[in-house]
Amino acid sequence: MKLLVLGGTHHVGRPGEDVATQLGRVYGDLGWVIPETLAGLQRADSVYFDTISQVVAPRWSTGRVVLLGDAAWCVTLFAGYGSSLAVGGADLLGTSLAEHPGDIPAALTAWEARLRPEVTAKQKLGRRVKGVYAPANPVLLWLTQLPLRLATLPPVRRYLTRRFIKG
């Protein structure tokens, strides 16, 4: 089984570093509403923070045990399609079982053969676009934050406030 962890090492916490400190280190210089948001993290009862990973499994079934959806082929939130593939995969599994009555191994083999090309394409999409959402180096991270940085400039902030908040 191959495990691919998406995201750059600059997002990895340091030993003993809590989530709020880590996010402050990465995003603390952005200004605008970011300092207020980071301060809120310090007061929060709990914060959900996680990495994004993708598992590429060599097969999705063993005997009569079958993995479906993200348990089998997580395409990650970068690619989307998770719900569609889960529902479609379950429907296709039912179809394959109906087409191979009494022969579960044949049904599972047919099911995976029909579904794997689509899943593989969506997994590749997730790996291809991950850099847009989780840049692999600090320069690219800074560039993705540029729109937020520009929004902190007084003229831009005034324009955005007039245009989108005050109407």
Side-chain angles (χ1 to χ4, degrees), residues 1-64:
M1 185 177 293
K2 177 178 155 189
L3 175 66
L4 172 66
V5 178
L6 301 175
T9 57
H10 60 280
H11 291 293
V12 175
R14 296 177 177 152
E17 184 177 53
D18 65 4
V19 172
T21 303
Q22 181 180 348
L23 292 173
R25 179 172 42 82
V26 175
Y27 299 105
D29 67 336
L30 284 178
W32 193 37
V33 298
I34 303 301
E36 185 179 327
T37 303
L38 293 172
L41 289 175
Q42 299 290 347
R43 297 186 303 274
D45 293 331
S46 66
V47 176
Y48 178 78
F49 184 73
D50 204 354
T51 59
I52 296 174
S53 302
Q54 183 182 83
V55 175
V56 179
R59 65 180 192 273
W60 302 326
S61 65
T62 299
R64 296 172 63 98

Side-chain angles (χ1 to χ4, degrees), residues 71-90:
W73 54 70
C74 180
V75 293
T76 78
L77 59 89
F78 295 138
Y81 300 100
S83 297
S84 301
L85 283 173
V87 172

Side-chain angles (χ1 to χ4, degrees), residues 45 55 57 59 68-69 73-74 91-92 97 105 111 151 165-166:
D45 293 331
V55 175
R59 65 180 192 273
L68 284 169
W73 54 70
C74 180
D91 182 63
L92 185 57
L97 289 167
W111 166 71
I165 297 174
K166 293 182 180 176

